[in-house]
Amino acid sequence: VDPTAIGRTARSNPASYVGAFDAIRKRFAAEAVAIERGYTVGTFSFNSGTGRCPTCSGNGFERVEMQFLSDVYLRCPDCDGRRYRPETLEVKIVRGPGPARSIADVLDMTVSEAAAFFADDREVLACLEPLAAVGLDYLRLGQPVPTLSGGEAQRLKLAGRLAEQGDRKIGARHLFLLDEPTTGLHFEDVAKL
């Protein structure tokens, strides 16, 4: 497991990498408002055309090309960086005593906040637990993968592999070799890893 970048697209995030985003989108598609409006799981993807913001195509920003300077990225004026149409954001999930949350609110949660929010949902929790187990509980679920450091990318790869295993235990047939996984980590994070 090396620290090379996972991808270059801002559409990939920790939640999608470990499979949690699929389970979360299913929960939103099962809400009464979503069923009433005929929304599907694809409506809650910022990669599909039905639920994403038409102005920024679900990116949350617009790119302004500069001829002799680096490109400038501006927050989308229509969705305010939330990636979805306003009517998609009207579908909210209520869990526990806290406020109702839209899909954009959930993507803005950290892994530990999302684990607390989905504490009664085994499928979502099973995907989030590997992220917390490798010390990435501070990452936002919707954080673009290209913004991760090398060590975070390496631990995300490890969490993805652990999430693939699901309920199965990692046995003697799996050997993980990590290329300098503790570089730049705090001693508490080193102990956790």
Side-chain angles (χ1 to χ4, degrees):
V1 182
D2 63 10
T4 57
I6 293 171
R8 295 186 179 173
T9 177
R11 295 188 180 279
S12 181
N13 56 50
S16 63
Y17 195 81
V18 296
F21 196 40
D22 293 335
I24 291 168
R25 291 184 307 138
K26 285 182 201 171
R27 300 309 171 265
F28 277 95
E31 288 295 307
V33 175
I35 293 169
E36 180 182 306
R37 294 180 181 180
Y39 291 171
T40 63
V41 174
T43 305
F44 298 98
S45 170
F46 47 77
N47 292 322
S48 72
T50 57
R52 69 182 179 182
C53 172
T55 304
C56 65
S57 299
N59 287 321
F61 59 86
E62 292 180 318
R63 184 173 130 201
V64 178
E65 293 185 32
M66 307 295 281
Q67 288 187 347
F68 299 108
L69 300 170
S70 297
D71 292 346
V72 176
Y73 295 90
L74 302 173
R75 184 181 300 257
C76 176
D78 288 347
C79 68
D80 194 33
R82 295 177 60 87
R83 298 180 162 197
Y84 293 94
R85 296 175 184 260
E87 54 271 17
T88 306
L89 296 176
E90 291 172 0
V91 178
K92 298 187 180 216
I93 290 180
V94 178
R95 301 254 190 223
R101 305 291 182 129
S102 70
I103 187 77
D105 294 332
V106 169
L107 286 174
D108 202 37
M109 291 179 178
T110 64
V111 171
S112 58
E113 291 169 344
F117 186 72
F118 290 104
D120 61 341
D121 191 321
R122 284 186 56 133
E123 185 180 1
V124 175
L125 208 52
C127 295
L128 295 177
E129 285 174 344
L131 289 170
V134 297
L136 295 176
D137 51 344
Y138 61 90
L139 288 182
R140 287 182 301 109
L141 292 182
Q143 183 172 339
V145 168
T147 65
L148 301 178
S149 70
E152 289 170 336
Q154 190 174 28
R155 289 184 285 156
L156 182 58
K157 289 177 188 178
L158 179 60
R161 183 64 183 188
L162 294 173
E164 279 178 16
Q165 297 300 316
D167 294 332
R168 296 179 290 160
K169 295 276 185 197
I170 295 179
R173 7 176 254 258
H174 295 91
L175 173 66
F176 294 103
L177 295 175
L178 304 174
D179 182 22
E180 298 184 32
T182 60
T183 302
L185 289 182
H186 188 276
F187 293 119
E188 289 180 24
D189 291 325
V190 171
K192 184 182 279 191
L193 184 59

